[in-house]
Amino acid sequence: MITKSQKQLIKSLRHKKYRELNGLFVIEGLKCVQEAIKNDLPLTQIFCTDKFFDYFKKQTELTVFISEKEMEQISFLTHFSGALALCRLSDSLPIPISGEPKHWNLVLDEISDPGNLGSILRLADWFALPTLWISKNTVDVYNPKVIQSSMGSFSRVRVFYTDLDKVLSQTHLPIWGASLEGDNIYHQSFPESGWLIMGNESRGISPGLQRYISKRVSIPRFHPKSTVESLNVAMATSVFLSELRRCIFTR
Amino acid sequence: MITKSQKQLIKSLRHKKYRELNGLFVIEGLKCVQEAIKNDLPLTQIFCTDKFFDYFKKQTELTVFISEKEMEQISFLTHFSGALALCRLSDSLPIPISGEPKHWNLVLDEISDPGNLGSILRLADWFALPTLWISKNTVDVYNPKVIQSSMGSFSRVRVFYTDLDKVLSQTHLPIWGASLEGDNIYHQSFPESGWLIMGNESRGISPGLQRYISKRVSIPRFHPKSTVESLNVAMATSVFLSELRRCIFTR
């Protein structure tokens, strides 16, 4: 059973303004809700249809039974899955890190597509880059589509929305930037630690951050006749992180 | 100006049945329509709003002016771009290839998400695997979302919907299959030619094709505590094709 005001609240959480106002965001889908529980995220309620009610009820008192029709009304998905949780926006996420972060750090500059950010979260999780540094004008990580496409990885990867200019101006580590005019990534030897910047889907890395880049790297195009302009940013991130890990791993 | 019956025709092309019945599919977006013209695809009409009418009118007599409102009515996109073309389904695509195909061939077994197929077309184009061999139960390549997310690559990559069992049972080349339990991809030496099979988003490669696989390969998970189950199939394809090309390229 779900009240009319709860329905209105959930629908409003599609928008960043209302997520911030209510301090809540939506996690949807069996896998995503399971991961949120496993990673101790501050859930406040889990709405379940018949399909998953018994399963989640055993795990937490927060579980509420709703009908298929009610789920259809609150779900953000075309094909709703039967489990939708509300989670508190965590105040502890955007704490400043003191000192220089070690290892490799992924930096996202103005990524605008929620699906791309979700995919990159999943990649960062897989390739063990546990912290993402993200420009303030990048799409909101609590956007339902980001949460959905990260497939649970949003609950393990730490995300800092920050002034990238400030962060990058203070580092002593090498800063690599993805660029169509960069050096061939397959000819590089990755240092043990550094920053890798991925830029906006159409415009690339913003001019303000270009000055901090110590090396530009690119994925060569192999098709001689191809006029394909670029790889999608999530696909390119996939190749760069794979190369980074292979290079350090097989050293 | 667009007639009521043209509108109905275009809307119907969302469905495979009507694409086949009319022998037409939709190409939408500036970039995709540009690529279709560049690659001599058999377009029958290009509908443009004010934004691109003059641009396309100079290139082809097929260009028709329509209002923003009319475009909104026929577009499959949330944010329509101002250019939508109709293209004939080509009979010449599914011809059987005689003899053994050379080099590396990508095989897709039951990929169900249109965005994934579109992304994989773009990857195949970038990494120079010009032919895709696809199971008949994989999502239709002429689905508007596939066309859209391939960003024009659909017009350069040849796609064969075929009986994979038949194709793979007759080959003498090595057949590699992506599998979570496979050998570490970074420890492999790719031969000069072969087949790489990518399986369904949740179920992986189907049991019927498993028996043809000569080597199972996987991308290692680097995060020791991560419970991320798998990479998205397009991200994984990105890593495998990158490794394939790096390996052959730097030999």
Side-chain angles (χ1 to χ4, degrees), chain B residues 208-219:
Chain B
L209 298 185
Q210 288 283 355
R211 61 188 148 153
Y212 299 119
I213 298 176
S214 51
K215 183 187 276 293
R216 284 173 179 75
V217 283
S218 77
I219 304 161

Side-chain angles (χ1 to χ4, degrees), chain A residues 133-149:
Chain A
W133 304 79
I134 302 188
S135 68
K136 287 181 177 164
N137 51 7
T138 283
V139 58
D140 186 29
V141 72
Y142 298 112
N143 177 307
K145 283 187 196 160
V146 176
I147 297 294
Q148 185 61 28
S149 56

Side-chain angles (χ1 to χ4, degrees), chain A residues 77-130:
Chain A
L77 305 176
T78 320
H79 305 287
F80 63 88
S81 79
L84 183 151
L86 294 181
C87 183
R88 271 200 296 278
L89 284 175
S90 171
D91 285 336
S92 66
L93 274 183
I95 47 161
I97 283 185
S98 61
E100 183 86 319
K102 284 176 195 158
H103 311 300
W104 274 88
N105 298 277
L106 189 58
V107 178
L108 304 181
D109 181 27
E110 296 189 37
I111 300 299
S112 65
D113 181 83
N116 284 340
L117 179 55
S119 296
I120 293 172
L121 282 168
R122 198 166 163 192
L123 287 166
D125 192 14
W126 186 275
F127 288 110
L129 279 87

Side-chain angles (χ1 to χ4, degrees), chain B residues 172-225:
Chain B
H172 299 287
L173 298 178
I175 301 174
W176 289 21
S179 158
L180 285 169
E181 288 78 37
D183 299 333
N184 186 327
I185 188 71
Y186 304 118
H187 292 171
Q188 309 309 315
S189 177
F190 281 82
E192 285 296 322
S193 52
W195 304 82
L196 173 66
I197 314 180
M198 303 300 300
N200 173 267
E201 287 88 344
S202 358
R203 297 181 303 278
I205 298 169
S206 56
L209 298 185
Q210 288 283 355
R211 61 188 148 153
Y212 299 119
I213 298 176
S214 51
K215 183 187 276 293
R216 284 173 179 75
V217 283
S218 77
I219 304 161
R221 187 190 284 108
F222 291 91
H223 200 311
K225 283 188 205 158

